[in-house]
């Protein structure tokens, strides 16, 4: 496995490759969710292809300075995870390698990114689109792999690829969860033991609401109340950032369920750690 730290070396390594290139962008602090993406990339590239993983904590997609400052970093372990997953090339640049001090061009998606995390984290998806396009231009992959855990991110990137005619396939991979349902996240390591023990209630409540919506036993307007009830019972201090039922294609809020597939999405602070999760609610 080759590790490169700057754009020049990345371009040189990339140019040596004539086979299929599959790219997995990450921010490090790698866990089994990232590993699933890398394994999928390895299968997709085949033994002859090149699997590239980037490890880059992109400052422009953080809306809260403290979240960026406290973002976990486990570089040595990350390299071991990449190696075990059969990655060929790790690109781990420093921020000033990626951004010019006076960079003045940003990519904005202006529809799908207006709700959910896009509405609550100003500039977040501009940061995501811009860095993903830059990394795309540096790696020229045939395929880019993303986790469905960040489903709005997948939708926004697919739209960028469509609207800017990027010749690349986007491959979404299922969310990897603990056995108790908690979606794996780099931020989980920052949870107190109490919060970690109580966080599975997020997915359990999503499942419960999905079942009731599908069975007609719950209206969309009742969802928020259900989450408030559940979280009130916990020892951990929680604050709901949003709970929304949205159209699975447009990401726009739905006030009624039944005519099309929906996504029920939640973002909640457990102490001061922001966790997101979602469930697809198919029409009965
Ligand atoms: P991050 O390092 O958080 O930027 O994530 C890098 C990639 O891994 C993104 O495409 C995420 O959606 C994906 N990812 C993060 N957590 C999970 C998970 N639990 N299951 C599947 N993919 C994940």
């Amino acid at each position: 496995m080759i590790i490169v730290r700057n754009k020049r070396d990345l371009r040189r390594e990339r140019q040596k490759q004539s086979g299929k290139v599959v790219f997995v962008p990450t921010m490090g602090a790698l866990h089994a969710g990232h590993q699933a993406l890398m394994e999928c990339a390895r299968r997709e590239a085949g033994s002859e292809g090149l699997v590239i993983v980037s490890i880059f904590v992109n400052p422009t997609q953080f809306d809260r300075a403290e979240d960026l400052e406290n973002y976990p970093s486990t570089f040595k372990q990350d390299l071991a995870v990449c190696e075990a997953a059969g990655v060929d090339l790790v690109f781990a640049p420093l921020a000033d390698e990626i951004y010019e001090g006076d960079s003045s061009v940003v990519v904005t998606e202006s529809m799908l990114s207006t709700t959910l995390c896009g509405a609550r984290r100003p500039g977040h998806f501009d940061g995501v689109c811009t860095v993903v396009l830059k990394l795309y231009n540096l790696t020229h992959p045939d395929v880019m792999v993303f986790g469905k855990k960040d489903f709005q991110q997948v939708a926004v990137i697919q739209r960028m690829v469509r609207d800017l005619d990027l010749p690349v396939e986007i491959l979404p991979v299922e969310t990897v969860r603990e056995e108790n349902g908690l979606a794996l996240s780099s931020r989980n390591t920052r949870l107190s033991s109490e919060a970690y023990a109580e966080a599975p209630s997020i997915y359990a409540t999503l499942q419960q609401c999905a079942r009731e919506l599908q069975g007609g036993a719950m209206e969309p307007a009742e969802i928020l109340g259900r989450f408030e009830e559940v979280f009130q019972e916990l020892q951990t201090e929680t604050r709901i950032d949003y709970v929304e039922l949205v159209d699975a294609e447009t990401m726009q809020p739905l006030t009624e369920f039944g005519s099309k597939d929906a996504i029920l999405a939640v973002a909640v602070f457990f102490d001061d750690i922001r966790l997101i999760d979602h469930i697809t609610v198919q029409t009965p």
Side-chain angles (χ1 to χ4, degrees), residues 59-154:
T60 66
Q61 71 188 71
F62 284 80
D63 54 313
R64 296 187 307 140
E66 68 185 269
D67 191 23
L68 174 60
E69 276 156 29
N70 294 323
Y71 202 81
S73 168
T74 56
F75 189 60
K76 262 178 106 174
Q77 286 146 258
D78 291 352
L79 293 181
V81 173
C82 292
E83 183 92 60
V87 171
D88 301 303
L89 178 67
V90 174
F91 176 50
L94 296 172
D96 52 7
E97 175 67 21
I98 292 293
Y99 294 107
E100 298 294 332
D102 61 350
S103 69
S104 52
V105 177
V106 167
V107 183
T108 299
E109 193 288 328
S110 55
M111 213 279 275
L112 305 174
S113 59
T114 56
T115 57
L116 306 171
C117 287
R120 300 329 187 282
R121 303 182 66 189
H124 170 68
F125 283 115
D126 285 0
V128 168
C129 286
T130 305
V131 80
V132 169
L133 183 60
K134 283 167 73 68
L135 292 169
Y136 167 80
N137 285 328
L138 292 167
T139 53
H140 277 287
D142 300 288
V143 180
M144 284 198 285
V145 184
F146 290 90
K148 288 191 197 171
K149 165 157 188 288
D150 300 284
F151 72 97
Q152 190 179 18
Q153 171 170 280
V154 173

Side-chain angles (χ1 to χ4, degrees), residues 25-28 31 33-34 37 71 146-147 149-150 153 174-176 184:
T26 83
M27 298 203 297
H31 50 63
H34 299 108
L37 268 56
Y71 202 81
F146 290 90
K149 165 157 188 288
D150 300 284
Q153 171 170 280
E174 277 311 325
T175 304
V176 177
L184 298 191

Side-chain angles (χ1 to χ4, degrees), residues 171-185:
L171 189 59
V173 172
E174 277 311 325
T175 304
V176 177
R177 300 178 179 281
E178 306 271 12
E179 260 177 49
N180 59 22
L182 176 64
L184 298 191
S185 163

